[in-house]
Amino acid sequence: MTRQAPPVWRDRLPPGQYVARDFPVLHVGDVPAFDPASWRFRVTGAVAAPLEYTWDEFQRLPVHEVTADIHCVTRWSKFDTRWAGVPLRYLIAAARVRPEARYVVSRGAHGYSANLPLDVVTSGDVLLAHTYEGKPLEPVHGGPVRMLVPSRYFWKSTKWCTEIEFRIDDEPGFWETRGYHNDADPWREERYWE
Ligand SMILES: Nc1nc2c(c(=O)[nH]1)N[C@H]1C(S)=C(S)[C@@H](COP(=O)(O)O)O[C@H]1N2
Ligand SMILES: [Mo]
């Protein structure tokens, strides 16, 4: 369902976006099966202490709640989505990310990936989310765990995320190598490279 933005929404709605009331589902490939016994989450790359968590361990990590507006490059935005999960800041500290690291690549099912500068993900609203609206994140929306990066177009929020790699050099991800903008700031309308 789409609506004309009333005045009160204008400063919340980035240029060229409309407000969606439902929660669209968008991804490439099939929803992957989740096996709690074999699932692992890894923190790799330019870190002093690489990490690997089982599902039991991951669920016991510190949890942070975030309410955020999300913006998809296909022009829907959704206001006040409520998430909970492990703050990326926690993993940055736990893995002792090296001072030379400047970028992060999140990796998910079917070789999907998305790249971001480190300073974007050190913001407190970036999560590895496992909970949406108080319930376990549904598989179609990336459960058991997805990235949540509210400040960038939603393709940067990798679903079925199982690895975070810290890097010294940038590595454009799935959409970034297919014509989408590397920076993806919805307020600057960074949708595609010219
Ligand atoms: N693993 C994976 N993550 C992904 C994608 C994908 O194809 N694969 N699509 C991205 C895109 S383009 C969007 S808009 C959002 C959609 O998330 P939703 O289906 O929960 O709305 O997931 C992002 N994360
Ligand atoms: Mo998207």
Side-chain angles (χ1 to χ4, degrees):
M1 191 207 281
T2 70
R3 298 184 149 202
Q4 200 69 28
V8 69
W9 287 356
R10 262 180 219 146
D11 55 358
R12 287 181 74 174
L13 195 60
Q17 297 292 112
Y18 68 84
V19 176
R21 288 315 188 94
D22 55 356
F23 194 169
V25 169
L26 273 147
H27 53 255
V28 289
D30 297 330
V31 174
F34 167 48
D35 171 21
S38 59
W39 185 90
R40 294 291 182 275
F41 190 90
R42 295 185 175 88
V43 182
T44 64
V47 297
L51 301 171
E52 182 175 304
Y53 298 108
T54 64
W55 177 235
D56 280 348
E57 291 165 342
F58 195 87
Q59 288 175 288
R60 281 188 253 114
L61 296 179
V63 174
H64 186 69
E65 289 182 18
V66 167
T67 299
D69 300 344
I70 54 179
H71 311 291
C72 175
V73 71
T74 63
R75 299 186 182 271
W76 57 267
S77 291
K78 189 170 174 60
F79 289 163
D80 294 319
T81 61
R82 211 157 53 81
W83 305 82
V86 181
L88 216 76
R89 275 181 180 172
Y90 170 82
L91 295 175
I92 289 169
R96 290 188 281 130
V97 170
R98 299 215 310 255
E100 316 88 85
R102 291 284 174 276
Y103 301 94
V104 183
V105 172
S106 56
R107 301 186 189 283
H110 315 304
Y112 190 89
S113 67
N115 57 315
L116 288 162
L118 188 61
D119 58 11
V120 169
V121 303
T122 53
S123 154
D125 61 356
V126 175
L127 301 180
L128 284 152
H130 49 51
T131 303
Y132 177 73
E133 301 293 345
K135 296 190 210 101
L137 178 62
E138 284 180 59
V140 286
H141 287 298
V145 174
R146 78 176 299 163
M147 277 283 273
L148 173 70
V149 189
S151 66
R152 294 296 179 268
Y153 283 123
F154 210 31
W155 87 75
K156 295 284 188 182
S157 295
T158 299
K159 294 158 76 160
W160 314 297
C161 185
T162 52
E163 182 182 350
I164 295 289
E165 182 192 359
F166 292 92
R167 298 178 60 95
I168 293 160
D169 59 321
D170 201 5
E171 184 197 85
F174 183 87
W175 286 116
E176 295 81 4
T177 54
R178 287 166 174 79
Y180 285 74
H181 201 289
N182 205 48
D183 301 326
D185 182 344
W187 294 98
R188 295 171 184 250
E189 265 206 283
E190 294 170 337
R191 297 176 193 274
Y192 315 100
W193 292 114
E194 290 311 306

